[in-house]
């Protein structure tokens, strides 16, 4: 009997230990930001995201024009990511070295301009979209745990580029991202990713952004920016074109289609989808079995008494 109790206790510990947090904030990135205002023109930016399961592969390509004298410009690329080693920069086909700098360093260099940059790249401004309802929402725990937690402020990748006089240049950045995960909104996890676009004030001209998001056809997908859905082989392409930059990008997905019936069950009978459901089921089944055995023994005892009489 003691072994049975021990087994039930161990099972309880395993089930409780596997209960994940309702929401986890993971990676987000942003467009390059020059350390100071510059006379550069970004004539075109193309961003490509390839979404598979819980990983995103990204390529960002800039066409940058310097129509003045030769100059060296320092840039910051904000990165909050588990995939720090996957980050690569290429300028006019040559690989660029970078370093990760502390926020305190930039605060000293930028002086009164730091506050504005800090506001642009801060995790406080992250937005999320419901992939089913297609409206913005705030995941549980984001405001209370992540929003004002300095631990989730992005790393600052600093690199310096040389712009020749009257030149047109190609800057290419590649990286991988782990999307944030909301485990409570629907029966299946909602994955979200945020990318900072609105850095136009740091340039003489910044317009014409093309964003392509590829994801499997069976996914439930939404973005805050309007785009066109196209079918390409076994994937969907969400194609966004922006003439002007006014908002940052967020998109979310569930890695399957989700039915209204399953949402109804989840909203009205959430215990069915609880990580404790098996434990609760075992508990009630144990009670039913115990009552059944007790009833059988009582009935057997009563019959034996009658027989003896």
């Amino acid at each position: 009997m003691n072994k049975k109790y021990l087994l039930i206790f161990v099972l309880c510990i395993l089930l409780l230990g596997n209960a994940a947090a309702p929401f986890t904030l993971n990676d987000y990135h942003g467009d390059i930001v020059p350390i100071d205002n510059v006379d550069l023109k970004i004539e075109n930016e193309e961003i490509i995201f390839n979404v598979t399961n819980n990983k995103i592969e990204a390529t960002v390509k800039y066409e940058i024009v310097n129509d003045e004298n030769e100059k060296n410009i320092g840039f910051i690329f904000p990165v909050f990511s588990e995939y720090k080693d996957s980050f690569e920069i290429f300028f006019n086909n040559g690989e660029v070295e970078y370093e990760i700098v502390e926020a305190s360093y930039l605060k000293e260099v930028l002086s009164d301009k730091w506050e504005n940059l800090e506001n642009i790249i801060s995790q406080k401004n992250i937005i999320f979209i419901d992939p089913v309802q297609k409206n913005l929402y705030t995941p549980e725990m984001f405001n209370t745990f992540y929003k004002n937690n300095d631990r989730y402020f992005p790393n600052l990748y600093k690199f310096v580029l040389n712009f020749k006089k009257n030149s047109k240049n190609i800057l290419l950045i590649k990286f991988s991202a782990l999307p944030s995960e909301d485990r409570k909104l629907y029966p299946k996890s909602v994955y979200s990713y945020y990318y900072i676009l609105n850095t136009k004030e740091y340039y003489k001209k910044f317009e014409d952004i093309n964003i392509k998001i590829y994801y499997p056809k069976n996914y439930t997908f939404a973005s805050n920016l309007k785009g066109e859905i196209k079918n390409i082989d076994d994937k969907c392409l969400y194609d966004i074109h922006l003439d002007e930059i006014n908002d940052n990008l967020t998109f979310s997905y569930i890695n399957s289609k989700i039915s209204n019936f399953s949402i109804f069950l989840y909203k009205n009978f959430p215990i069915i989808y609880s990580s404790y459901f098996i434990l609760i089921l075992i508990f009630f089944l144990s009670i039913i079995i115990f009552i059944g055995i007790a009833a059988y023994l009582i009935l057997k005892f009563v019959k034996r008494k009658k027989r003896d009489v």
Side-chain angles (χ1 to χ4, degrees), residues 33-38 106-120 201-202:
V33 181
I35 292 178
D36 203 348
N37 289 25
V38 294
L106 276 186
K107 188 175 182 179
E108 184 178 342
V109 171
L110 297 179
S111 185
D112 58 331
K113 297 175 183 177
W114 164 249
E115 186 176 346
N116 185 53
L117 176 60
E118 181 184 29
N119 182 59
I120 289 173
E201 64 186 84
Y202 288 88

Side-chain angles (χ1 to χ4, degrees), residues 27 40-41 44 51-52 153 302-303:
D27 301 1
L40 296 174
K41 299 177 184 177
N44 179 265
V51 176
T52 53
F153 190 79
V302 170
K303 284 183 177 180

Side-chain angles (χ1 to χ4, degrees), residues 40-90:
L40 296 174
K41 299 177 184 177
I42 297 185
E43 293 194 336
N44 179 265
E45 178 184 11
E46 182 181 65
I47 309 173
I48 299 175
F49 297 107
N50 278 293
V51 176
T52 53
N53 295 323
N54 63 340
K55 189 175 181 181
I56 300 168
E57 299 288 346
T59 302
V60 186
K61 180 182 177 182
Y62 302 90
E63 293 182 10
I64 308 175
V65 172
N66 174 35
D67 54 12
E68 298 187 357
N69 293 328
E70 181 176 352
K71 61 186 74 173
N72 291 323
I73 304 292
F75 290 89
I76 292 297
F77 188 82
V79 177
F80 183 81
S81 177
E82 295 296 324
Y83 294 102
K84 296 182 178 67
D85 296 333
S86 72
F87 189 71
E88 295 178 292
I89 309 173
F90 301 90

Side-chain angles (χ1 to χ4, degrees), residues 160-203:
V160 178
L161 303 178
N162 175 257
F163 293 88
K164 301 297 184 184
K165 182 179 179 180
N166 298 324
S167 61
K168 185 173 184 176
N169 307 270
I170 301 296
L171 174 64
L172 190 68
I173 298 177
K174 298 180 179 181
F175 58 89
S176 300
L178 180 69
S180 299
E181 185 175 1
D182 188 338
R183 303 174 184 87
K184 192 168 183 181
L185 187 62
Y186 290 113
K188 295 187 176 182
S189 290
V190 173
Y191 297 100
S192 302
Y193 179 71
Y194 178 74
Y195 189 87
I196 302 161
L197 293 171
N198 198 1
T199 61
K200 61 184 178 182
E201 64 186 84
Y202 288 88
Y203 299 91

Side-chain angles (χ1 to χ4, degrees), residues 229-270:
I229 298 176
K230 302 174 182 178
N231 291 319
I232 299 177
D233 298 325
D234 61 338
K235 290 192 174 184
C236 287
L237 164 61
Y238 191 76
D239 201 358
I240 303 168
H241 178 77
L242 302 173
D243 291 319
E244 294 184 357
I245 310 164
N246 297 309
D247 298 299
N248 295 319
L249 168 71
T250 188
F251 64 83
S252 65
Y253 60 92
I254 300 172
N255 55 16
S256 67
K257 298 296 181 184
I258 186 166
S259 68
N260 291 330
F261 180 67
S262 64
I263 294 173
F264 170 80
L265 286 178
Y266 181 71
K267 298 295 184 183
N268 293 278
F269 308 99

